[in-house]
Amino acid sequence: MGCRLTKAEKEEEPKDFDKLEEKTSVPQVDSRLPIDAREAFKLKQSWKGIKRRIEETGVEMFIRLFKTNSSLKYIFTHFSKLETEDDMRGNEALEHHATFVMTTLDEAISNIDNYNYVTDHLHRTGATHQRFIDFSSENFGKIKEPFLEAVKITLGDRYTDYMANVYTKTIDFILSALSHGYLDKNQCYELQSTKSPVTSALQTSHPGEKTESDQANGIPSDQSVPKIEISAQSE
């Protein structure tokens, strides 16, 4: 007689492979991170879906932010008078700023398993907001729920309870680090160009031209949205 697996045995086989993968295929991460190695791996895989629609996700995040914190909208001269969702979705300045903020989050999440780089990047980015007289550290925390809601919309069914927990822990970590950098008065907000360990290819630029690494570290482009009565660059 041939040796055939029963239906029950076939159903158990993937579970064994899952356990083997969990134990052997994912490297360890810094214990100071709020997520473990497997969660970091799953996060980076999930985030690829966000990166493919990063502009759309960023705009959705800001629309939801302004719904719950309408006073924040008036910090920005270029879209302070936008009232409806349609106005916001069609506004180029809002899309540009939302994409810039999402790029900062992308830099952190894409390198989440490099604790030292990510915390330094976030501390420096947070410190850039010291120049804005209308800004306070509490404003960082207000982006949490809009971010999670926008990610949920973009990912759809892929936003499982497991991933919701991972994203929540991750955004809490990111926003805490941004706030820490903002509150640290010894942190110089004039950032040096710190290149991502993932995108560290040499870059050349003309005098006065912003590089990609500058924007990844919180130095806005010349077209970014200025604050009210401030001629500085955007967040």
Side-chain angles (χ1 to χ4, degrees):
M1 293 177 62
C3 181
R4 297 180 58 190
L5 292 175
T6 66
K7 182 177 180 181
E9 289 172 329
K10 289 181 180 180
E11 290 177 348
E12 289 298 323
E13 188 175 21
K15 296 181 181 180
D16 292 335
F17 278 108
D18 286 344
K19 291 178 181 179
L20 179 62
E21 179 185 3
E22 182 175 354
K23 291 179 180 179
T24 63
S25 65
V26 184
Q28 295 301 307
V29 295
D30 195 301
S31 61
R32 292 171 291 180
L33 286 169
I35 57 178
D36 62 28
R38 188 168 183 79
E39 289 172 327
F41 175 79
K42 294 287 188 180
L43 174 65
K44 293 172 76 172
Q45 293 298 309
S46 171
W47 186 249
K48 292 177 181 179
I50 301 298
K51 291 185 71 169
R52 287 191 288 268
R53 298 170 59 186
I54 198 165
E55 296 90 354
E56 179 182 342
T57 306
V59 170
E60 188 68 44
M61 178 178 70
F62 268 88
I63 288 174
R64 291 174 177 274
L65 173 67
F66 293 149
K67 275 186 176 181
T68 55
N69 299 274
S70 58
S71 61
L72 292 180
K73 183 170 60 176
Y74 300 101
I75 294 176
F76 306 96
T77 58
H78 282 60
F79 43 87
S80 60
K81 295 182 180 180
L82 300 177
E83 298 296 336
T84 68
E85 284 193 26
D86 288 340
D87 289 340
M88 294 181 191
R89 292 187 192 281
N91 185 267
E92 185 176 349
L94 177 57
E95 180 180 351
H96 177 88
H97 184 72
T99 302
F100 174 74
V101 172
M102 288 297 292
T103 300
T104 299
L105 297 176
D106 171 55
E107 187 73 7
I109 292 175
S110 295
N111 296 286
I112 194 64
D113 47 5
N114 189 332
Y115 177 86
N116 290 332
Y117 171 76
V118 169
T119 53
D120 182 66
H121 163 64
L122 294 172
H123 289 168
R124 289 173 177 270
T125 302
T128 64
H129 294 70
Q130 293 173 10
R131 67 168 71 97
F132 302 136
I133 59 175
D134 296 329
F135 197 85
S136 66
S137 61
E138 289 78 12
N139 288 341
F140 288 120
K142 293 176 182 178
I143 204 71
K144 175 182 175 179
E145 293 304 323
F147 169 80
L148 293 174
E149 291 170 2
V151 168
K152 181 178 181 179
I153 290 173
T154 298
L155 293 179
D157 293 341
R158 293 169 292 173
Y159 191 76
T160 61
D161 290 342
Y162 176 88
M163 289 311 306
N165 182 51
V166 173
Y167 273 107
T168 298
K169 290 189 290 186
T170 301
I171 194 63
D172 281 342
F173 167 73
I174 289 173
L175 298 178
S176 176
L178 288 169
S179 181
H180 178 83
Y182 174 82
L183 294 173
D184 183 1
K185 300 306 179 183
N186 294 319
Q187 177 77 55
C188 178
Y189 65 73
E190 293 298 335
L191 301 184
Q192 299 297 318
S193 176
T194 304
K195 296 183 179 179
S196 162
V198 174
T199 58
S200 58
L202 293 177
Q203 301 172 350
T204 59
S205 61
H206 300 292
E209 179 181 343
K210 303 296 183 184
T211 65
E212 291 182 5
S213 58
D214 287 333
Q215 292 192 353
N217 285 281
I219 301 177
S221 71
D222 293 334
Q223 284 81 39
S224 52
V225 183
K227 303 237 330 174
I228 291 178
E229 299 180 356
I230 297 178
S231 58
Q233 302 138 323
S234 77
E235 312 170 39

